[in-house]
């Protein structure tokens, strides 16, 4: 099965048709159901150590905990997430801060009052970014600054991805996890994902050529962190942690100006 899996959890319940439209760059339509499988090959993390990591739950999620996507707190009342995570009605979302286990009630929650989705998302490749405004700001919680230099996307950079998504059985469900994913570089993903339309200026290729460790379904929208900055946003991959199919992340530096305008608004 091939196909660029770029859909959040709720799309898993829809009887998605596998449309072999490779080459339709930038589209987020689900083509194949994902493997039934958070972060693959990672380890348990703590929101006390990563307070800016936000669980973006949705009442339409197929999983009982409501787990749907991730996001990053970039201002007391602003989150950065993936454009493909904001396809549901605004009232169905809940942002959760400081909850390591989604089957508990610890931490802060907020509804969403405004969604900004990159207007070029789906028109051209890349642009899988969105900014959400919280109805109840997470005041006093540490935020993550945006990476603004495209030079950060250098082969071998040691970035870490966080999320509550699928583990493919490599860990407990609904638990906050992290995994180190080195940057593999635009030329590698340009080759392995040529037919999926990998976008060098707007996407980051990170993970392991041999597979084993990766982000996965439900991690979308969550943070890829490098040097204490929001470097990437979990976007897509073919399968999870499979050899030759690394994770693809929206490149925050490419979209930093547009994102910062929304964050400041
Ligand atoms: N599109 C997925 C989501 O909505 C994220 C996929 C990431 N896949 C990967 N192999 N790194 O949750």
């Amino acid at each position: 099965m091939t196909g660029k899996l770029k859909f959040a959890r709720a799309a898993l319940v829809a009887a998605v048709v596998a449309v072999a439209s490779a080459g339709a760059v930038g589209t987020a339509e689900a083509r194949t159901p994902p493997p039934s499988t958070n972060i693959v090959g990672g380890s348990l993390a703590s929101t006390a150590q990563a307070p800016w990591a936000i669980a973006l739950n949705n009442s339409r999620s197929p999983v009982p905990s409501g787990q749907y996507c991730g996001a990053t707190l970039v201002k007391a009342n602003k989150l950065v997430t993936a454009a493909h995570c904001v396809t549901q009605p605004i009232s169905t979302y809940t942002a959760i801060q400081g909850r390591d286990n989604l089957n508990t009630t610890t931490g802060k929650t907020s509804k969403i009052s405004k969604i900004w989705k990159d207007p070029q998302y789906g028109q051209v490749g890349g642009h899988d970014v969105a900014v959400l405004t919280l109805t109840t700001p997470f005041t006093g919680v540490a935020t993550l600054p945006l990476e603004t230099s495209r030079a950060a996307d250098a082969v071998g950079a040691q970035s870490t991805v966080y999320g509550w998504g699928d583990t493919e059985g490599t860990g407990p469900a609904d638990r906050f996890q992290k995994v180190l994913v080195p940057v593999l570089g635009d030329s590698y993903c340009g080759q392995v994902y040529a037919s999926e339309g990998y976008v060098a200026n707007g996407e980051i290729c990170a993970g392991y050529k041999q597979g084993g460790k990766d982000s996965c379904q439900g991690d979308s929208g969550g943070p890829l962190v490098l040097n204490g900055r929001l470097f990437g946003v979990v976007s897509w991959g073919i399968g999870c942690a499979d050899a030759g199919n690394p994770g693809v992340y929206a490149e925050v530096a490419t979209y930093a100006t547009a994102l910062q305008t929304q964050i400041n608004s």
Side-chain angles (χ1 to χ4, degrees):
M1 294 198 304
T2 59
K4 178 169 156 182
L5 291 178
K6 190 196 273 185
F7 46 87
R9 286 224 189 237
L12 315 191
V13 276
V16 292
V17 181
V19 182
S21 57
V25 293
T27 56
E29 70 271 25
R31 294 174 188 158
T32 54
S36 109
T37 66
N38 181 240
I39 297 258
V40 176
S43 57
L44 285 174
S46 160
T47 55
Q49 307 291 317
W52 29 259
I54 304 298
L56 187 62
N57 275 24
N58 193 279
S59 59
R60 298 187 174 185
S61 170
V63 296
S65 67
Q67 202 281 332
Y68 185 72
C69 270
T72 306
L73 189 72
V74 294
K75 196 180 180 181
N77 69 334
K78 298 285 182 182
L79 305 179
V80 170
T81 188
H84 82 267
C85 285
V86 297
T87 58
Q88 304 297 329
I90 192 166
S91 64
T92 60
Y93 290 97
T94 303
I96 305 173
Q97 190 278 328
R99 188 173 296 173
D100 290 354
N101 179 343
L102 294 181
N103 295 298
T104 68
T105 57
T106 55
K108 301 175 194 278
T109 65
S110 174
K111 298 300 286 182
I112 305 300
S113 62
K114 182 182 172 194
I115 294 175
W116 175 85
K117 180 167 69 162
D118 188 317
Q120 290 187 72
Y121 177 71
Q123 310 294 308
V124 296
H127 292 271
D128 194 8
V129 289
V131 176
L132 308 182
T133 305
L134 301 175
T135 56
T136 311
F138 293 151
T139 309
V141 176
T143 57
L144 214 55
L146 305 186
E147 177 59 69
T148 58
S149 171
R150 287 207 56 229
D153 185 9
V155 175
Q158 303 283 298
S159 53
T160 301
V161 61
Y162 296 81
W164 289 261
D166 246 332
T167 66
E168 293 196 327
T170 62
D174 296 323
R175 299 292 188 87
F176 186 51
Q177 301 232 352
K178 65 177 175 183
V179 69
L180 179 79
V181 283
V183 172
L184 288 170
D186 291 328
S187 69
Y188 183 71
C189 273
Q191 289 164 38
V192 299
Y193 289 146
S195 56
E196 282 75 23
Y198 177 83
V199 176
N201 179 17
E203 293 184 322
I204 296 164
C205 177
Y208 298 84
K209 293 180 182 176
Q210 73 274 26
K213 299 179 184 185
D214 196 7
S215 47
C216 197
Q217 312 329 319
D219 289 321
S220 278
L224 178 69
V225 179
L226 179 66
N227 298 325
R229 290 187 283 275
L230 181 61
F231 175 49
V233 176
V234 180
S235 183
W236 61 274
I238 292 181
C240 300
D242 295 338
N245 291 329
V248 178
Y249 299 80
E251 187 173 2
V252 169
T254 305
Y255 309 113
T257 304
L259 291 169
Q260 199 62 53
T261 298
Q262 294 304 316
I263 294 164
N264 294 344
S265 74

